Amino acid sequence: MSLANNKDSLILSAIVRALRENDTPPKPIPANSRRAGVALILRALGKNLSVLFIQRALREEDPWSGHIAFPGGHYDLSDTDVLHTVVRETKEEVGITLTFSDCVTQLPVEKPYTSDQRTDLVVLPYVFALTYEPELYLNHEVSEVIWVPLNRLISGELITNETVNFNSKEYQLPGFRLNDRHFVWGLTYRVLQRFCSIIDQT
């Protein structure tokens, strides 16, 4: 039965099982690619499940300034791997201390739209599950945090097409309209769509 049609079935254990059993073939990562990672954080408080989004602060040096995204950032040589990058960046950006045991799975890699048109950046999305209310401490890179109920994301009711201005051009793109101020598109939309499609098939 579809989780979208049975909200009482949105149980964390079923979602974790669906994500871990997903057999989507991994995309190859070019050896010399720049790498980054993001955290799709699922908060499960009883039967109330929500997904965390951030709004990036308005900063001239940030090509995704003001966008709705997941916490994360670029791999640093001090990181042991991209999962370590995601844990470190999430702590820095929103104050949440993720542990490796909180990580449920890695979703297939994605490539972002970049303002400099470089094509060598790949992003590794990781799904984390928390069963507590995390304390949030936003740094200068984040202006706001938004928790969105998972059942609304899975239902498809938030999906729409809108005009997006990016890199001095306008594009008509699909995305999730979270509310009257926040629209999720691009890489974050694609990661979220894949996540929702996997758990909605259980």
Side-chain angles (χ1 to χ4, degrees):
M1 178 180 293
S2 170
L3 291 175
N5 296 324
N6 184 2
K7 295 180 181 180
D8 289 340
S9 294
L10 285 174
I11 301 171
L12 183 60
S13 59
I15 291 173
V16 169
R17 183 170 60 253
L19 289 166
R20 288 179 172 166
E21 292 178 352
N22 177 55
D23 56 0
T24 302
K27 297 178 182 178
I29 302 176
N32 296 323
S33 295
R34 294 181 299 148
R35 301 187 182 196
V38 296
L40 191 163
I41 300 174
L42 180 64
R43 180 187 65 184
L45 303 177
K47 292 185 178 180
N48 298 316
L49 287 88
S50 302
V51 174
L52 181 144
F53 298 89
I54 63 170
Q55 181 165 33
R56 302 186 66 83
L58 295 175
R59 297 190 302 144
E60 188 173 340
E61 67 274 19
D62 183 0
W64 300 285
S65 174
H67 292 190
I68 307 303
F70 297 125
H74 291 271
Y75 170 80
D76 187 270
L77 290 178
S78 64
D79 298 328
T80 55
D81 52 28
V82 179
L83 177 57
H84 184 271
T85 301
V86 171
V87 170
R88 173 180 58 78
E89 287 279 353
T90 300
K91 177 65 174 179
E92 292 174 2
E93 291 183 346
V94 296
I96 298 177
T97 302
L98 298 173
T99 67
F100 297 118
S101 62
D102 294 327
C103 185
V104 175
T105 191
Q106 177 194 326
L107 298 175
V109 300
E110 295 285 351
K111 295 181 69 66
Y113 304 131
T114 58
S115 59
D116 61 6
Q117 301 303 310
R118 294 180 64 178
T119 59
D120 61 340
L121 176 64
V122 295
V123 177
L124 285 68
Y126 292 88
V127 179
F128 294 82
L130 305 180
T131 55
Y132 61 90
E133 183 70 60
E135 293 190 41
L136 302 174
Y137 303 95
L138 311 188
N139 75 355
H140 66 282
E141 299 177 72
V142 179
S143 62
E144 187 178 355
V145 163
I146 310 105
W147 288 103
V148 179
L150 180 60
N151 56 10
R152 296 195 69 206
L153 296 169
I154 294 176
S155 70
E157 66 183 273
L158 302 180
I159 297 179
T160 184
N161 285 277
E162 297 193 12
T163 301
V164 172
N165 191 304
F166 183 65
N167 197 25
S168 302
K169 295 181 181 179
E170 288 190 344
Y171 302 90
Q172 188 74 15
L173 296 174
F176 288 84
R177 170 52 67 181
L178 305 183
N179 51 46
D180 59 355
R181 295 187 299 116
H182 301 124
F183 181 62
V184 176
W185 60 279
L187 181 143
T188 306
Y189 164 76
R190 297 195 301 275
V191 171
L192 187 59
Q193 270 284 68
R194 185 179 296 276
F195 169 76
C196 289
S197 67
I198 292 171
I199 64 177
D200 194 33
Q201 292 173 5
T202 58

